[in-house]
PDB file of all heavy atoms in Angstrom:
ATOM      1  N   ASP A   1     -16.661  11.659  -1.198  1.00 96.00           N
ATOM      2  CA  ASP A   1     -17.795  11.310  -0.336  1.00 96.00           C
ATOM      3  C   ASP A   1     -18.233  12.562   0.438  1.00 96.00           C
ATOM      4  O   ASP A   1     -19.443  12.656   0.828  1.00 96.00           O
ATOM      5  CB  ASP A   1     -17.480  10.190   0.594  1.00 96.00           C
ATOM      6  CG  ASP A   1     -17.291   8.855  -0.103  1.00 96.00           C
ATOM      7  OD1 ASP A   1     -17.727   8.758  -1.258  1.00 96.00           O
ATOM      8  OD2 ASP A   1     -16.734   7.919   0.484  1.00 96.00           O
ATOM      9  N   ASP A   2     -17.311  13.458   0.750  1.00 95.00           N
ATOM     10  CA  ASP A   2     -17.635  14.690   1.483  1.00 95.00           C
ATOM     11  C   ASP A   2     -18.161  15.817   0.590  1.00 95.00           C
ATOM     12  O   ASP A   2     -18.435  16.904   1.074  1.00 95.00           O
ATOM     13  CB  ASP A   2     -16.418  15.191   2.256  1.00 95.00           C
ATOM     14  CG  ASP A   2     -16.102  14.339   3.498  1.00 95.00           C
ATOM     15  OD1 ASP A   2     -17.010  13.587   3.939  1.00 95.00           O
ATOM     16  OD2 ASP A   2     -14.987  14.427   4.019  1.00 95.00           O
ATOM     17  N   GLY A   3     -18.295  15.509  -0.701  1.00 95.00           N
ATOM     18  CA  GLY A   3     -18.896  16.500  -1.605  1.00 95.00           C
ATOM     19  C   GLY A   3     -17.946  17.233  -2.504  1.00 95.00           C
ATOM     20  O   GLY A   3     -18.332  18.144  -3.261  1.00 95.00           O
ATOM     21  N   TYR A   4     -16.642  16.920  -2.402  1.00 95.00           N
ATOM     22  CA  TYR A   4     -15.675  17.562  -3.304  1.00 95.00           C
ATOM     23  C   TYR A   4     -15.780  17.017  -4.693  1.00 95.00           C
ATOM     24  O   TYR A   4     -16.162  15.866  -4.905  1.00 95.00           O
ATOM     25  CB  TYR A   4     -14.210  17.337  -2.774  1.00 95.00           C
ATOM     26  CG  TYR A   4     -13.862  18.190  -1.571  1.00 95.00           C
ATOM     27  CD1 TYR A   4     -14.368  17.952  -0.288  1.00 95.00           C
ATOM     28  CD2 TYR A   4     -12.955  19.269  -1.751  1.00 95.00           C
ATOM     29  CE1 TYR A   4     -13.990  18.733   0.781  1.00 95.00           C
ATOM     30  CE2 TYR A   4     -12.588  20.037  -0.648  1.00 95.00           C
ATOM     31  CZ  TYR A   4     -13.110  19.770   0.594  1.00 95.00           C
ATOM     32  OH  TYR A   4     -12.754  20.551   1.663  1.00 95.00           O
ATOM     33  N   GLU A   5     -15.402  17.812  -5.674  1.00 94.00           N
ATOM     34  CA  GLU A   5     -15.343  17.346  -7.092  1.00 94.00           C
ATOM     35  C   GLU A   5     -13.926  16.996  -7.429  1.00 94.00           C
ATOM     36  O   GLU A   5     -12.944  17.432  -6.753  1.00 94.00           O
ATOM     37  CB  GLU A   5     -15.839  18.452  -8.032  1.00 94.00           C
ATOM     38  CG  GLU A   5     -17.310  18.844  -7.772  1.00 94.00           C
ATOM     39  CD  GLU A   5     -17.781  19.928  -8.708  1.00 94.00           C
ATOM     40  OE1 GLU A   5     -17.236  20.014  -9.841  1.00 94.00           O
ATOM     41  OE2 GLU A   5     -18.649  20.697  -8.316  1.00 94.00           O
ATOM     42  N   ASP A   6     -13.733  16.200  -8.495  1.00 92.00           N
ATOM     43  CA  ASP A   6     -12.391  15.782  -8.873  1.00 92.00           C
ATOM     44  C   ASP A   6     -11.455  16.973  -9.220  1.00 92.00           C
ATOM     45  O   ASP A   6     -10.268  16.935  -9.041  1.00 92.00           O
ATOM     46  CB  ASP A   6     -12.370  14.753  -9.986  1.00 92.00           C
ATOM     47  CG  ASP A   6     -12.975  15.281 -11.308  1.00 92.00           C
ATOM     48  OD1 ASP A   6     -13.317  16.465 -11.388  1.00 92.00           O
ATOM     49  OD2 ASP A   6     -13.092  14.489 -12.220  1.00 92.00           O
ATOM     50  N   LYS A   7     -12.060  18.090  -9.670  1.00 92.00           N
ATOM     51  CA  LYS A   7     -11.237  19.257  -9.989  1.00 92.00           C
ATOM     52  C   LYS A   7     -10.654  19.921  -8.712  1.00 92.00           C
ATOM     53  O   LYS A   7      -9.723  20.734  -8.810  1.00 92.00           O
ATOM     54  CB  LYS A   7     -12.085  20.315 -10.787  1.00 92.00           C
ATOM     55  CG  LYS A   7     -13.206  20.934  -9.985  1.00 92.00           C
ATOM     56  CD  LYS A   7     -13.958  21.949 -10.817  1.00 92.00           C
ATOM     57  CE  LYS A   7     -15.108  22.591  -9.997  1.00 92.00           C
ATOM     58  NZ  LYS A   7     -15.819  23.574 -10.802  1.00 92.00           N
ATOM     59  N   ASP A   8     -11.244  19.616  -7.572  1.00 95.00           N
ATOM     60  CA  ASP A   8     -10.785  20.183  -6.291  1.00 95.00           C
ATOM     61  C   ASP A   8      -9.579  19.412  -5.715  1.00 95.00           C
ATOM     62  O   ASP A   8      -8.928  19.924  -4.789  1.00 95.00           O
ATOM     63  CB  ASP A   8     -11.900  20.189  -5.242  1.00 95.00           C
ATOM     64  CG  ASP A   8     -13.102  20.992  -5.655  1.00 95.00           C
ATOM     65  OD1 ASP A   8     -12.935  22.057  -6.329  1.00 95.00           O
ATOM     66  OD2 ASP A   8     -14.236  20.593  -5.375  1.00 95.00           O
ATOM     67  N   ILE A   9      -9.358  18.203  -6.243  1.00 97.00           N
ATOM     68  CA  ILE A   9      -8.353  17.325  -5.685  1.00 97.00           C
ATOM     69  C   ILE A   9      -7.285  17.052  -6.741  1.00 97.00           C
ATOM     70  O   ILE A   9      -7.584  16.557  -7.805  1.00 97.00           O
ATOM     71  CB  ILE A   9      -8.969  15.949  -5.251  1.00 97.00           C
ATOM     72  CG1 ILE A   9     -10.196  16.206  -4.371  1.00 97.00           C
ATOM     73  CG2 ILE A   9      -7.963  15.105  -4.553  1.00 97.00           C
ATOM     74  CD1 ILE A   9     -11.105  15.015  -4.244  1.00 97.00           C
ATOM     75  N   GLN A  10      -6.034  17.416  -6.424  1.00 97.00           N
ATOM     76  CA  GLN A  10      -4.974  17.196  -7.414  1.00 97.00           C
ATOM     77  C   GLN A  10      -3.881  16.310  -6.797  1.00 97.00           C
ATOM     78  O   GLN A  10      -3.318  16.658  -5.770  1.00 97.00           O
ATOM     79  CB  GLN A  10      -4.379  18.501  -7.890  1.00 97.00           C
ATOM     80  CG  GLN A  10      -3.448  18.324  -9.047  1.00 97.00           C
ATOM     81  CD  GLN A  10      -4.134  17.644 -10.230  1.00 97.00           C
ATOM     82  OE1 GLN A  10      -5.122  18.105 -10.746  1.00 97.00           O
ATOM     83  NE2 GLN A  10      -3.584  16.500 -10.677  1.00 97.00           N
ATOM     84  N   VAL A  11      -3.624  15.199  -7.471  1.00 97.00           N
ATOM     85  CA  VAL A  11      -2.499  14.329  -7.082  1.00 97.00           C
ATOM     86  C   VAL A  11      -1.289  14.761  -7.935  1.00 97.00           C
ATOM     87  O   VAL A  11      -1.428  14.954  -9.161  1.00 97.00           O
ATOM     88  CB  VAL A  11      -2.863  12.842  -7.326  1.00 97.00           C
ATOM     89  CG1 VAL A  11      -1.688  11.955  -6.898  1.00 97.00           C
ATOM     90  CG2 VAL A  11      -4.131  12.495  -6.564  1.00 97.00           C
ATOM     91  N   LEU A  12      -0.121  14.898  -7.295  1.00 96.00           N
ATOM     92  CA  LEU A  12       1.093  15.301  -7.956  1.00 96.00           C
ATOM     93  C   LEU A  12       2.156  14.224  -7.764  1.00 96.00           C
ATOM     94  O   LEU A  12       2.251  13.651  -6.688  1.00 96.00           O
ATOM     95  CB  LEU A  12       1.581  16.625  -7.427  1.00 96.00           C
ATOM     96  CG  LEU A  12       0.669  17.839  -7.514  1.00 96.00           C
ATOM     97  CD1 LEU A  12       1.313  19.042  -6.844  1.00 96.00           C
ATOM     98  CD2 LEU A  12       0.289  18.119  -8.928  1.00 96.00           C
ATOM     99  N   SER A  13       2.944  13.983  -8.790  1.00 93.00           N
ATOM    100  CA  SER A  13       4.059  13.051  -8.655  1.00 93.00           C
ATOM    101  C   SER A  13       5.222  13.615  -9.447  1.00 93.00           C
ATOM    102  O   SER A  13       5.029  14.220 -10.495  1.00 93.00           O
ATOM    103  CB  SER A  13       3.655  11.635  -9.219  1.00 93.00           C
ATOM    104  OG  SER A  13       4.656  10.725  -8.969  1.00 93.00           O
ATOM    105  N   PRO A  14       6.454  13.396  -9.010  1.00 89.00           N
ATOM    106  CA  PRO A  14       7.613  13.979  -9.723  1.00 89.00           C
ATOM    107  C   PRO A  14       7.903  13.366 -11.083  1.00 89.00           C
ATOM    108  O   PRO A  14       8.532  14.033 -11.911  1.00 89.00           O
ATOM    109  CB  PRO A  14       8.758  13.658  -8.755  1.00 89.00           C
ATOM    110  CG  PRO A  14       8.146  13.356  -7.434  1.00 89.00           C
ATOM    111  CD  PRO A  14       6.854  12.733  -7.752  1.00 89.00           C
ATOM    112  N   MET A  15       7.465  12.126 -11.322  1.00 87.00           N
ATOM    113  CA  MET A  15       7.851  11.475 -12.584  1.00 87.00           C
ATOM    114  C   MET A  15       6.742  10.555 -13.079  1.00 87.00           C
ATOM    115  O   MET A  15       5.804  10.218 -12.298  1.00 87.00           O
ATOM    116  CB  MET A  15       9.149  10.717 -12.437  1.00 87.00           C
ATOM    117  CG  MET A  15       9.147   9.677 -11.322  1.00 87.00           C
ATOM    118  SD  MET A  15      10.844   9.179 -10.864  1.00 87.00           S
ATOM    119  CE  MET A  15      11.482   8.581 -12.412  1.00 87.00           C
ATOM    120  N   TYR A  16       6.805  10.159 -14.338  1.00 90.00           N
ATOM    121  CA  TYR A  16       5.740   9.359 -14.967  1.00 90.00           C
ATOM    122  C   TYR A  16       5.839   7.873 -14.592  1.00 90.00           C
ATOM    123  O   TYR A  16       4.821   7.250 -14.366  1.00 90.00           O
ATOM    124  CB  TYR A  16       5.780   9.535 -16.485  1.00 90.00           C
ATOM    125  CG  TYR A  16       5.228  10.829 -16.949  1.00 90.00           C
ATOM    126  CD1 TYR A  16       6.049  11.952 -17.137  1.00 90.00           C
ATOM    127  CD2 TYR A  16       3.852  11.020 -17.183  1.00 90.00           C
ATOM    128  CE1 TYR A  16       5.536  13.188 -17.513  1.00 90.00           C
ATOM    129  CE2 TYR A  16       3.350  12.228 -17.596  1.00 90.00           C
ATOM    130  CZ  TYR A  16       4.190  13.304 -17.767  1.00 90.00           C
ATOM    131  OH  TYR A  16       3.668  14.529 -18.171  1.00 90.00           O
ATOM    132  N   GLN A  17       7.063   7.362 -14.503  1.00 89.00           N
ATOM    133  CA  GLN A  17       7.206   5.939 -14.272  1.00 89.00           C
ATOM    134  C   GLN A  17       7.157   5.607 -12.759  1.00 89.00           C
ATOM    135  O   GLN A  17       7.271   6.475 -11.929  1.00 89.00           O
ATOM    136  CB  GLN A  17       8.558   5.421 -14.859  1.00 89.00           C
ATOM    137  CG  GLN A  17       8.619   5.466 -16.383  1.00 89.00           C
ATOM    138  CD  GLN A  17       8.844   6.864 -16.912  1.00 89.00           C
ATOM    139  OE1 GLN A  17       9.518   7.667 -16.299  1.00 89.00           O
ATOM    140  NE2 GLN A  17       8.241   7.179 -18.083  1.00 89.00           N
ATOM    141  N   GLY A  18       7.061   4.291 -12.464  1.00 89.00           N
ATOM    142  CA  GLY A  18       7.156   3.833 -11.088  1.00 89.00           C
ATOM    143  C   GLY A  18       5.767   3.449 -10.502  1.00 89.00           C
ATOM    144  O   GLY A  18       4.715   3.752 -11.070  1.00 89.00           O
ATOM    145  N   VAL A  19       5.825   2.772  -9.360  1.00 90.00           N
ATOM    146  CA  VAL A  19       4.586   2.286  -8.759  1.00 90.00           C
ATOM    147  C   VAL A  19       3.670   3.422  -8.322  1.00 90.00           C
ATOM    148  O   VAL A  19       2.449   3.253  -8.177  1.00 90.00           O
ATOM    149  CB  VAL A  19       4.878   1.359  -7.552  1.00 90.00           C
ATOM    150  CG1 VAL A  19       5.561   0.092  -7.981  1.00 90.00           C
ATOM    151  CG2 VAL A  19       5.725   2.091  -6.493  1.00 90.00           C
ATOM    152  N   ALA A  20       4.234   4.579  -8.073  1.00 91.00           N
ATOM    153  CA  ALA A  20       3.438   5.760  -7.707  1.00 91.00           C
ATOM    154  C   ALA A  20       3.752   6.917  -8.626  1.00 91.00           C
ATOM    155  O   ALA A  20       3.650   8.107  -8.237  1.00 91.00           O
ATOM    156  CB  ALA A  20       3.672   6.128  -6.261  1.00 91.00           C
ATOM    157  N   GLY A  21       4.077   6.598  -9.874  1.00 93.00           N
ATOM    158  CA  GLY A  21       4.310   7.619 -10.847  1.00 93.00           C
ATOM    159  C   GLY A  21       3.026   8.156 -11.427  1.00 93.00           C
ATOM    160  O   GLY A  21       1.934   7.621 -11.138  1.00 93.00           O
ATOM    161  N   VAL A  22       3.091   9.133 -12.296  1.00 95.00           N
ATOM    162  CA  VAL A  22       1.912   9.773 -12.882  1.00 95.00           C
ATOM    163  C   VAL A  22       1.028   8.770 -13.614  1.00 95.00           C
ATOM    164  O   VAL A  22      -0.188   8.725 -13.480  1.00 95.00           O
ATOM    165  CB  VAL A  22       2.337  10.927 -13.812  1.00 95.00           C
ATOM    166  CG1 VAL A  22       1.125  11.453 -14.603  1.00 95.00           C
ATOM    167  CG2 VAL A  22       2.956  12.073 -13.028  1.00 95.00           C
ATOM    168  N   ASP A  23       1.681   7.914 -14.411  1.00 95.00           N
ATOM    169  CA  ASP A  23       0.920   6.961 -15.236  1.00 95.00           C
ATOM    170  C   ASP A  23       0.104   6.011 -14.375  1.00 95.00           C
ATOM    171  O   ASP A  23      -1.077   5.759 -14.599  1.00 95.00           O
ATOM    172  CB  ASP A  23       1.838   6.189 -16.173  1.00 95.00           C
ATOM    173  CG  ASP A  23       2.454   7.088 -17.260  1.00 95.00           C
ATOM    174  OD1 ASP A  23       1.869   8.105 -17.541  1.00 95.00           O
ATOM    175  OD2 ASP A  23       3.543   6.750 -17.755  1.00 95.00           O
ATOM    176  N   ALA A  24       0.750   5.401 -13.360  1.00 95.00           N
ATOM    177  CA  ALA A  24       0.092   4.403 -12.505  1.00 95.00           C
ATOM    178  C   ALA A  24      -1.059   5.079 -11.692  1.00 95.00           C
ATOM    179  O   ALA A  24      -2.134   4.514 -11.593  1.00 95.00           O
ATOM    180  CB  ALA A  24       1.080   3.792 -11.570  1.00 95.00           C
ATOM    181  N   LEU A  25      -0.805   6.273 -11.216  1.00 97.00           N
ATOM    182  CA  LEU A  25      -1.846   6.966 -10.426  1.00 97.00           C
ATOM    183  C   LEU A  25      -3.009   7.415 -11.264  1.00 97.00           C
ATOM    184  O   LEU A  25      -4.153   7.325 -10.883  1.00 97.00           O
ATOM    185  CB  LEU A  25      -1.190   8.158  -9.703  1.00 97.00           C
ATOM    186  CG  LEU A  25      -0.376   7.783  -8.469  1.00 97.00           C
ATOM    187  CD1 LEU A  25       0.546   8.916  -8.030  1.00 97.00           C
ATOM    188  CD2 LEU A  25      -1.294   7.386  -7.321  1.00 97.00           C
ATOM    189  N   ASN A  26      -2.705   7.861 -12.504  1.00 97.00           N
ATOM    190  CA  ASN A  26      -3.797   8.254 -13.415  1.00 97.00           C
ATOM    191  C   ASN A  26      -4.718   7.073 -13.718  1.00 97.00           C
ATOM    192  O   ASN A  26      -5.935   7.201 -13.751  1.00 97.00           O
ATOM    193  CB  ASN A  26      -3.234   8.846 -14.687  1.00 97.00           C
ATOM    194  CG  ASN A  26      -3.187  10.364 -14.675  1.00 97.00           C
ATOM    195  OD1 ASN A  26      -4.070  11.016 -14.102  1.00 97.00           O
ATOM    196  ND2 ASN A  26      -2.201  10.930 -15.317  1.00 97.00           N
ATOM    197  N   GLU A  27      -4.094   5.926 -13.986  1.00 96.00           N
ATOM    198  CA  GLU A  27      -4.909   4.749 -14.315  1.00 96.00           C
ATOM    199  C   GLU A  27      -5.765   4.343 -13.133  1.00 96.00           C
ATOM    200  O   GLU A  27      -6.960   4.059 -13.324  1.00 96.00           O
ATOM    201  CB  GLU A  27      -3.958   3.582 -14.685  1.00 96.00           C
ATOM    202  CG  GLU A  27      -4.709   2.342 -15.176  1.00 96.00           C
ATOM    203  CD  GLU A  27      -3.739   1.249 -15.607  1.00 96.00           C
ATOM    204  OE1 GLU A  27      -2.552   1.540 -15.829  1.00 96.00           O
ATOM    205  OE2 GLU A  27      -4.179   0.071 -15.730  1.00 96.00           O
ATOM    206  N   ALA A  28      -5.212   4.379 -11.916  1.00 97.00           N
ATOM    207  CA  ALA A  28      -5.999   3.995 -10.737  1.00 97.00           C
ATOM    208  C   ALA A  28      -7.078   5.012 -10.440  1.00 97.00           C
ATOM    209  O   ALA A  28      -8.217   4.648 -10.092  1.00 97.00           O
ATOM    210  CB  ALA A  28      -5.082   3.849  -9.539  1.00 97.00           C
ATOM    211  N   LEU A  29      -6.746   6.279 -10.553  1.00 97.00           N
ATOM    212  CA  LEU A  29      -7.726   7.369 -10.274  1.00 97.00           C
ATOM    213  C   LEU A  29      -8.828   7.415 -11.303  1.00 97.00           C
ATOM    214  O   LEU A  29     -10.000   7.714 -10.952  1.00 97.00           O
ATOM    215  CB  LEU A  29      -7.015   8.680 -10.165  1.00 97.00           C
ATOM    216  CG  LEU A  29      -6.138   8.869  -8.883  1.00 97.00           C
ATOM    217  CD1 LEU A  29      -5.131  10.015  -9.077  1.00 97.00           C
ATOM    218  CD2 LEU A  29      -7.011   9.127  -7.674  1.00 97.00           C
ATOM    219  N   GLN A  30      -8.532   7.131 -12.542  1.00 97.00           N
ATOM    220  CA  GLN A  30      -9.578   7.078 -13.566  1.00 97.00           C
ATOM    221  C   GLN A  30     -10.572   5.997 -13.229  1.00 97.00           C
ATOM    222  O   GLN A  30     -11.795   6.184 -13.349  1.00 97.00           O
ATOM    223  CB  GLN A  30      -8.969   6.847 -14.946  1.00 97.00           C
ATOM    224  CG  GLN A  30     -10.034   6.861 -16.081  1.00 97.00           C
ATOM    225  CD  GLN A  30      -9.481   6.325 -17.372  1.00 97.00           C
ATOM    226  OE1 GLN A  30      -8.649   5.419 -17.407  1.00 97.00           O
ATOM    227  NE2 GLN A  30      -9.919   6.926 -18.495  1.00 97.00           N
ATOM    228  N   SER A  31     -10.112   4.841 -12.809  1.00 96.00           N
ATOM    229  CA  SER A  31     -10.984   3.722 -12.448  1.00 96.00           C
ATOM    230  C   SER A  31     -11.889   4.127 -11.260  1.00 96.00           C
ATOM    231  O   SER A  31     -13.053   3.680 -11.194  1.00 96.00           O
ATOM    232  CB  SER A  31     -10.160   2.495 -12.089  1.00 96.00           C
ATOM    233  OG  SER A  31      -9.395   2.032 -13.161  1.00 96.00           O
ATOM    234  N   LEU A  32     -11.361   4.895 -10.337  1.00 97.00           N
ATOM    235  CA  LEU A  32     -12.149   5.340  -9.177  1.00 97.00           C
ATOM    236  C   LEU A  32     -13.152   6.430  -9.575  1.00 97.00           C
ATOM    237  O   LEU A  32     -14.332   6.364  -9.201  1.00 97.00           O
ATOM    238  CB  LEU A  32     -11.249   5.825  -8.088  1.00 97.00           C
ATOM    239  CG  LEU A  32     -11.940   6.470  -6.849  1.00 97.00           C
ATOM    240  CD1 LEU A  32     -12.705   5.419  -6.086  1.00 97.00           C
ATOM    241  CD2 LEU A  32     -10.927   7.185  -5.956  1.00 97.00           C
ATOM    242  N   LEU A  33     -12.663   7.443 -10.242  1.00 97.00           N
ATOM    243  CA  LEU A  33     -13.439   8.683 -10.457  1.00 97.00           C
ATOM    244  C   LEU A  33     -14.303   8.665 -11.702  1.00 97.00           C
ATOM    245  O   LEU A  33     -15.332   9.350 -11.816  1.00 97.00           O
ATOM    246  CB  LEU A  33     -12.523   9.893 -10.488  1.00 97.00           C
ATOM    247  CG  LEU A  33     -11.734  10.152  -9.194  1.00 97.00           C
ATOM    248  CD1 LEU A  33     -10.686  11.216  -9.393  1.00 97.00           C
ATOM    249  CD2 LEU A  33     -12.695  10.550  -8.036  1.00 97.00           C
ATOM    250  N   ASN A  34     -13.907   7.887 -12.710  1.00 97.00           N
ATOM    251  CA  ASN A  34     -14.623   7.825 -13.966  1.00 97.00           C
ATOM    252  C   ASN A  34     -14.561   6.423 -14.554  1.00 97.00           C
ATOM    253  O   ASN A  34     -13.961   6.186 -15.593  1.00 97.00           O
ATOM    254  CB  ASN A  34     -14.043   8.847 -14.963  1.00 97.00           C
ATOM    255  CG  ASN A  34     -14.923   9.038 -16.169  1.00 97.00           C
ATOM    256  OD1 ASN A  34     -16.135   8.924 -16.097  1.00 97.00           O
ATOM    257  ND2 ASN A  34     -14.298   9.365 -17.292  1.00 97.00           N
ATOM    258  N   PRO A  35     -15.175   5.475 -13.880  1.00 96.00           N
ATOM    259  CA  PRO A  35     -15.079   4.038 -14.312  1.00 96.00           C
ATOM    260  C   PRO A  35     -15.842   3.783 -15.620  1.00 96.00           C
ATOM    261  O   PRO A  35     -16.656   4.603 -16.030  1.00 96.00           O
ATOM    262  CB  PRO A  35     -15.768   3.285 -13.163  1.00 96.00           C
ATOM    263  CG  PRO A  35     -16.690   4.264 -12.547  1.00 96.00           C
ATOM    264  CD  PRO A  35     -16.001   5.609 -12.670  1.00 96.00           C
ATOM    265  N   PRO A  36     -15.553   2.675 -16.282  1.00 95.00           N
ATOM    266  CA  PRO A  36     -16.266   2.339 -17.530  1.00 95.00           C
ATOM    267  C   PRO A  36     -17.753   2.290 -17.300  1.00 95.00           C
ATOM    268  O   PRO A  36     -18.204   1.884 -16.223  1.00 95.00           O
ATOM    269  CB  PRO A  36     -15.683   0.966 -17.898  1.00 95.00           C
ATOM    270  CG  PRO A  36     -14.404   0.857 -17.157  1.00 95.00           C
ATOM    271  CD  PRO A  36     -14.589   1.658 -15.920  1.00 95.00           C
ATOM    272  N   SER A  37     -18.493   2.663 -18.340  1.00 94.00           N
ATOM    273  CA  SER A  37     -19.964   2.608 -18.269  1.00 94.00           C
ATOM    274  C   SER A  37     -20.512   2.494 -19.679  1.00 94.00           C
ATOM    275  O   SER A  37     -19.965   3.084 -20.576  1.00 94.00           O
ATOM    276  CB  SER A  37     -20.503   3.902 -17.604  1.00 94.00           C
ATOM    277  OG  SER A  37     -21.895   4.014 -17.796  1.00 94.00           O
ATOM    278  N   PRO A  38     -21.580   1.709 -19.831  1.00 93.00           N
ATOM    279  CA  PRO A  38     -22.209   1.591 -21.173  1.00 93.00           C
ATOM    280  C   PRO A  38     -22.720   2.955 -21.643  1.00 93.00           C
ATOM    281  O   PRO A  38     -22.931   3.143 -22.858  1.00 93.00           O
ATOM    282  CB  PRO A  38     -23.416   0.669 -20.899  1.00 93.00           C
ATOM    283  CG  PRO A  38     -23.080  -0.044 -19.650  1.00 93.00           C
ATOM    284  CD  PRO A  38     -22.240   0.849 -18.840  1.00 93.00           C
ATOM    285  N   LEU A  39     -22.905   3.902 -20.752  1.00 92.00           N
ATOM    286  CA  LEU A  39     -23.392   5.212 -21.104  1.00 92.00           C
ATOM    287  C   LEU A  39     -22.287   6.170 -21.493  1.00 92.00           C
ATOM    288  O   LEU A  39     -22.548   7.286 -21.938  1.00 92.00           O
ATOM    289  CB  LEU A  39     -24.185   5.820 -19.945  1.00 92.00           C
ATOM    290  CG  LEU A  39     -25.387   4.967 -19.434  1.00 92.00           C
ATOM    291  CD1 LEU A  39     -26.064   5.654 -18.247  1.00 92.00           C
ATOM    292  CD2 LEU A  39     -26.443   4.795 -20.533  1.00 92.00           C
TER     293      LEU A  39
END
């Protein structure tokens, strides 16, 4: 909202599994930053 692009913001996690692992965070962040669209 302040004008940053997704390339400026990096979320890091030590492992892939878990409620805050890489996989769960990627899925949530994709929904926020690049949601489904007919286009």
